[in-house]
Amino acid sequence: MGYYDDHMDYGGRVLWGRVGVLGGALVLMFLLGRCTAPDGVPPSELASANAQIQQLESRNAQLQEQIAAMSAGATAEPT
């Protein structure tokens, strides 16, 4: 008599105990991750970074205009 002679055939049945344990582990890992997650960026730093982004975008637009003006002037001079 071999191992598989006494073995129960579960067929297509779902093993709900295993599903429950894996679901519980998933919920536990989610909660553990939420508890240990950092708080994020302080609002004052975020506001400062957004202001700096706006300044840099403005400066970038000015420089793009200067480049366009210089290249327009450079193409007109050789004639």
Side-chain angles (χ1 to χ4, degrees):
M1 201 171 222
Y3 172 76
Y4 292 106
D5 294 337
D6 294 333
H7 184 267
M8 291 183 64
D9 183 25
Y10 289 104
R13 294 187 320 187
V14 177
L15 302 175
W16 291 107
R18 291 181 183 179
V19 171
V21 168
L22 290 174
L26 181 66
V27 168
L28 180 65
M29 291 297 119
F30 173 77
L31 293 174
L32 183 64
R34 292 289 294 174
C35 290
T36 59
D39 291 337
V41 178
S44 60
E45 284 185 33
L46 183 60
S48 173
N50 284 334
Q52 185 179 8
I53 288 171
Q54 289 177 350
Q55 289 174 353
L56 291 173
E57 286 176 345
S58 174
R59 180 69 177 141
N60 188 16
Q62 290 173 356
L63 292 173
Q64 291 293 336
E65 290 174 5
Q66 287 179 0
I67 289 172
M70 293 174 105
S71 51
T75 56
E77 285 181 333
T79 57

